[in-house]
Structure formats: C-alpha cells, structure tokens
Amino acid sequence: MKVTDLVTEIAKPIVEEKGMELWDVEYVREGSEYFLRLYLDKEGGVDIDDCEAVSRAVDPILDEKDPIPGSYHFEVCSAGLERALKRPGDFERFLGSPVTVKLYRPRNGLKELPCVLKGYEDGRVTVEAGKETITFEKSEVALVRLRVEF
C-alpha cells in the first residue's frame, strides 16, 4: 500500500471528527528532504487553528504507527482557493467553476488555459474557453486547478 493511502486511512477519521474534509495527502521529496502534507478543507475555509488541531491529533498516531520509513517533515495546511482537482468527485463538485488547465505540451501555442470546467469522464476533461468547447485527453493534462477570479 502506498504511503499516501496509509496516511489517509490514519488521518481521515481524525480530520472528519474535527469537522473538516481531508482534501489530499502528499508525500514528496524536495531536495534531500521528504515532506508529508495533509491538505484540509471545510465550509468557510480552514484557518491556522484548524491546521494546528489536526497536526496535534495526527502527529502522535503517525509516530506510533510509523507508516513511513526514515525521517520527514509533517505539515498540515489548507487546500487553498486554487487547489488542484484530482479525483472524479473533485471535478463533479466544481463543474461550472473557473479552472486553469496545464498541459504537458502546448496546444495552439498555450500550455496553460484559463477556462470553465464543463465535464469530466474517464479522465477526459471538457472545458469552455471563450465560445469554444474543448475536451482534453487524460494524457494531455498535467494539472487542473481551481482559478479565482477577482
């Protein structure tokens, strides 16, 4: 089982008990260091107190169960307004929302496209850019994230 799946199993019930949603779990190497990050969400937004409460509750359990060999930095943060959409449920929840689609290779000279999310099916992302509707195959899309418009 992947580290992120193990940590999700441990953290999700604790996060939900505190009235929040576990948006994502990330285990990444940055330089020579490893980072385990929990991303939280809740109605009205996540603040520093929420992050601290989850960190204090989850950290001792991670120490006890020790799902990660070696040392790492543990961080708990808000998913943020411009969060990445990863799971089918994320896409369904934010249909009609402004997003930025980042592509692996440029299309019509662009690698990043500001647009509106119109659909998601089997990894294919359908968006509306201006008056044009475009469907991207899963293999074309590096990242889809929410976009805040001011």
Side-chain angles (χ1 to χ4, degrees):
M1 187 180 265
K2 288 178 13 185
V3 165
T4 53
D5 293 337
L6 287 168
V7 173
T8 297
E9 274 184 18
I10 293 166
K12 189 175 182 180
I14 297 167
V15 171
E16 289 174 351
E17 179 183 292
K18 298 198 173 295
M20 290 171 268
E21 175 187 355
L22 182 60
W23 183 263
D24 197 13
V25 175
E26 179 181 71
Y27 182 61
V28 294
R29 182 178 179 167
E30 294 178 4
S32 62
E33 315 255 295
Y34 284 90
F35 290 83
L36 173 65
R37 293 187 182 106
L38 304 185
Y39 292 94
L40 310 177
D41 191 26
K42 78 172 185 186
E43 194 69 38
V46 172
D47 62 25
I48 190 76
D49 294 332
D50 295 324
C51 295
E52 184 179 349
V54 168
S55 179
R56 287 179 189 269
V58 172
D59 194 35
I61 296 168
L62 289 175
D63 286 346
E64 176 190 317
K65 298 203 184 245
D66 200 22
I68 302 171
S71 65
Y72 60 91
H73 299 279
F74 178 53
E75 298 176 349
V76 179
C77 33
S78 166
L81 293 175
E82 293 194 338
R83 68 191 65 181
L85 304 182
K86 295 183 177 182
R87 300 170 298 271
D90 300 346
F91 288 91
E92 290 166 22
R93 178 174 169 186
F94 290 102
L95 282 176
S97 297
V99 294
T100 298
V101 175
K102 292 185 180 186
L103 304 171
Y104 288 114
R105 284 182 220 80
R107 190 174 193 177
N108 299 332
L110 296 174
K111 274 188 88 171
E112 259 187 48
L113 183 70
C115 46
V116 174
L117 181 62
K118 290 297 179 183
Y120 181 83
E121 188 177 327
D122 298 326
R124 288 189 306 277
V125 178
T126 301
V127 298
E128 192 173 273
K131 294 184 181 351
E132 187 181 3
T133 299
I134 307 166
T135 298
F136 296 102
E137 294 300 321
K138 185 178 187 174
S139 61
E140 295 178 277
V141 178
L143 178 73
V144 177
R145 73 170 56 253
L146 292 176
R147 180 171 46 88
V148 176
E149 296 178 318
F150 294 97

